[in-house]
Amino acid sequence: MSALLDPKRPVADLKELRALTGDENGAQRVAFTPMWVKTRAWLKQKLSGLPVETHTDAAGNFWATMRGESEKCLLIGGHMDSVPNGGWLDGCLNVIAGVEILRRLNAQYKGKPPVTVRLVDWADEEGARFGKSLFGSSACSGNLDMDEARGLVDKQGIKLPDALKNVGIDFERVKDSGKELHNADAYLELHIEQGPVLLDLDLPLGAVLGTFGVERHAITFHGQAAHSGSTPMNRRMDAFLAAAKMSPECYKIAERSGQGVCTIGSCTTKPGIVTSVVEECRITLDQRHLDAEKLSEMLYDAKAASERFAREGNVRVTWERLWQIAPRPFDDELIALCDESIRETHSKSHRLPSGPLHDAAEVAASGVPTVMMFVQSLHGISHNKIEDTKEEHLELCVTAFDKLAEKTMKWIQKRER
Ligand SMILES: [Zn+2]
């Protein structure tokens, strides 16, 4: 099998794509733009020598299907779109590794693998233009909020439905994409980690346990404005003092939770002048955990702490939920296969949750058994032109991901629906 797979070929493809769709500021493959259309054409051309049927679904997701001995179906996915000034690997590594797997399957099984294998390039994973991530995959999973999406507008004032019309997509029909998942028995996605965990462990590859659930709230402390000179310290109702105590508390809450994270990302004060005690202080809190129960504990603890700090400071506190999403755990058996593939390729695997959301989270939510594999990110950074991964690690991830695809095909064959 190893002779049929050429892990250097996808690396060369990635470099070719970078030259074609990037500039001195990074990748410029923003969804539904002319560059994105050009990227799709490039992808089609890469697939042209293979016995695959291709089509674009109702949500603009691009599918390449290699019919197998069975109608049971393995899906491999990623996204060719990027943020403006993005990195050269985020999203497209997944798809291009998938192309290499199709080449290997074609060579090994003479174009007819044991199960049907479908490669999908999800439309607008990044949400860079309309501020809404996972467009194509959430339309496919059925989770897309149509009323919200209908009203989305880009910086030029163009509405999402009009931008879609320009690339031949009828917004009102995007959920018809859901039929693509009817025969899906498993979904695999390779991705750069985008964080520093594997880098710090000095490991190239990891098996992903699922994507974090998120609780996002605005917390406002209400005190009283008072003159900064005439108000003794013991008479103040200082909204900022109470809000500020939340910061070290959040580190304690995250630590108690195990693998959770908490971020106070913004802080605004009123009246916001140098000569007044703060009357009102609004902070935003973003909490994430893979375990739903731990996530709700983190939220409970933050609420209890905010009330305690409000009482101590003689101020009031109110909470407003901004957004939430449940954790999306991946399939235990597929996680085990992913671990095994990594161990057979390299010596050691590591299991880790994903902080960022991915298309895989949408597929998992639709009930298709799902797993992701992460490859180490240098600098632990992405959505930036400095995003990078060692070439030897890119080759390793293609090899390990291909093994995972093969193991998953066997797993699908054995499994009752
Ligand atoms: Zn991505």
Side-chain angles (χ1 to χ4, degrees):
M1 191 167 88
S2 54
L4 303 173
L5 184 87
D6 178 1
K8 289 192 191 308
R9 196 158 37 184
V11 179
D13 287 342
L14 283 163
K15 289 179 182 168
E16 190 183 314
L17 182 70
R18 176 168 61 181
L20 190 74
T21 61
D23 59 23
E24 69 279 10
N25 298 314
Q28 308 297 347
R29 297 183 299 274
V30 176
F32 312 130
T33 61
M35 188 65 97
W36 178 75
V37 174
K38 186 173 163 184
T39 303
R40 280 267 170 99
W42 177 87
L43 177 62
K44 267 184 217 170
Q45 184 243 317
K46 286 284 155 194
L47 290 161
S48 61
L50 292 166
V52 291
E53 298 155 28
T54 62
H55 76 281
T56 303
D57 74 12
N61 304 309
F62 173 78
W63 297 83
T65 303
M66 188 178 277
R67 301 251 167 239
E69 302 288 348
S70 153
E71 281 199 351
K72 288 182 168 185
C73 201
L74 167 65
L75 306 185
I76 298 171
H79 60 94
M80 297 300 279
D81 73 304
S82 74
V83 295
N85 306 324
W88 72 298
L89 301 169
D90 184 354
C92 53
L93 165 67
N94 339 3
V95 180
I96 289 168
V99 173
E100 184 58 27
I101 292 173
L102 290 175
R103 290 179 186 130
R104 193 269 295 173
L105 292 172
N106 182 39
Q108 185 174 346
Y109 296 107
K110 313 233 170 335
K112 209 157 176 70
V115 304
T116 297
V117 179
R118 308 185 69 201
L119 178 65
V120 54
D121 167 23
W122 299 109
D124 198 11
E125 192 272 350
E126 298 287 6
R129 186 165 160 197
F130 293 96
K132 169 102 191 122
S133 311
L134 312 180
F135 171 78
S137 53
S138 66
C140 190
S141 74
N143 283 329
L144 180 71
D145 182 334
M146 294 296 282
D147 289 335
E148 183 197 32
R150 196 178 285 112
L152 294 173
V153 180
D154 74 3
K155 281 192 190 125
Q156 271 76 48
I158 298 169
K159 285 189 164 173
L160 174 65
D162 294 330
L164 292 176
K165 203 186 288 167
N166 274 338
V167 289
I169 301 164
D170 174 0
F171 173 76
E172 298 304 328
R173 286 190 49 240
V174 292
K175 285 195 176 175
D176 290 359
S177 157
K179 65 172 182 248
E180 303 289 342
L181 295 181
H182 282 171
N183 273 332
D185 291 275
Y187 175 80
L188 305 177
E189 188 171 330
L190 173 68
H191 208 285
I192 52 166
E193 185 204 326
Q194 302 177 280
V197 175
L198 294 171
L199 182 70
D200 288 349
L201 291 169
D202 199 20
L203 290 175
L205 305 168
V208 185
L209 295 162
T211 56
F212 276 160
V214 183
E215 284 283 359
R216 203 170 281 170
H217 293 259
I219 311 166
T220 308
F221 291 90
H222 309 266
Q224 191 174 59
H227 193 286
S228 64
S230 63
T231 319
M233 300 308 279
N234 66 347
R235 295 289 299 271
R236 296 178 179 212
M237 295 163 73
D238 185 344
F240 180 75
L241 175 64
K245 286 180 182 172
M246 289 299 286
S247 178
E249 188 66 21
C250 282
Y251 281 78
K252 288 182 205 155
I253 290 171
E255 196 181 337
R256 274 204 300 277
S257 78
Q259 283 186 309
V261 289
C262 298
T263 305
I264 295 177
S266 77
C267 174
T268 48
T269 59
K270 280 182 194 165
I273 53 171
V274 73
T275 52
S276 175
V277 173
V278 172
E279 177 176 26
E280 190 182 295
C281 184
R282 181 185 192 267
I283 56 175
T284 57
L285 176 63
D286 177 291
Q287 297 180 295
R288 302 181 187 222
H289 206 291
L290 186 61
D291 183 295
E293 214 168 291
K294 291 260 170 66
L295 181 60
S296 63
E297 253 170 51
M298 282 167 57
L299 177 60
Y300 177 88
D301 286 357
K303 281 192 173 158
S306 73
E307 277 152 22
R308 193 167 72 245
F309 299 145
R311 260 197 319 275
E312 286 170 9
N314 206 14
V315 299
R316 268 188 322 115
V317 64
T318 52
W319 280 64
E320 178 198 350
R321 177 176 267 145
L322 301 176
W323 190 65
Q324 74 175 146
I325 189 168
R328 303 269 167 80
F330 293 156
D331 185 87
D332 287 338
E333 290 180 33
L334 291 181
I335 293 169
L337 292 183
C338 186
D339 253 346
E340 209 176 280
S341 309
I342 292 170
R343 282 198 308 271
E344 286 173 14
T345 307
H346 186 70
S347 54
K348 236 175 140 188
S349 177
H350 177 71
R351 294 184 175 201
L352 71 168
S354 171
L357 282 165
H358 291 286
D359 294 309
E362 283 299 330
V363 184
S366 75
V368 178
T370 294
V371 76
M372 292 183 78
M373 182 183 287
F374 275 170
V375 60
Q376 187 193 101
S377 291
L378 289 173
H379 331 295
I381 211 159
S382 76
H383 286 192
N384 186 310
K385 68 171 177 182
I386 70 163
E387 165 194 298
D388 207 3
T389 293
K390 281 184 199 150
E391 262 183 57
E392 63 196 85
H393 288 174
L394 290 175
E395 290 174 22
L396 273 180
C397 80
V398 173
T399 304
F401 194 57
D402 180 59
K403 281 189 207 291
L404 174 60
E406 189 64 26
K407 286 177 194 291
T408 306
M409 285 200 298
K410 304 243 157 69
W411 180 81
I412 289 172
Q413 277 180 298
K414 272 191 281 177
R415 190 164 167 266
E416 297 291 321
R417 272 213 185 130

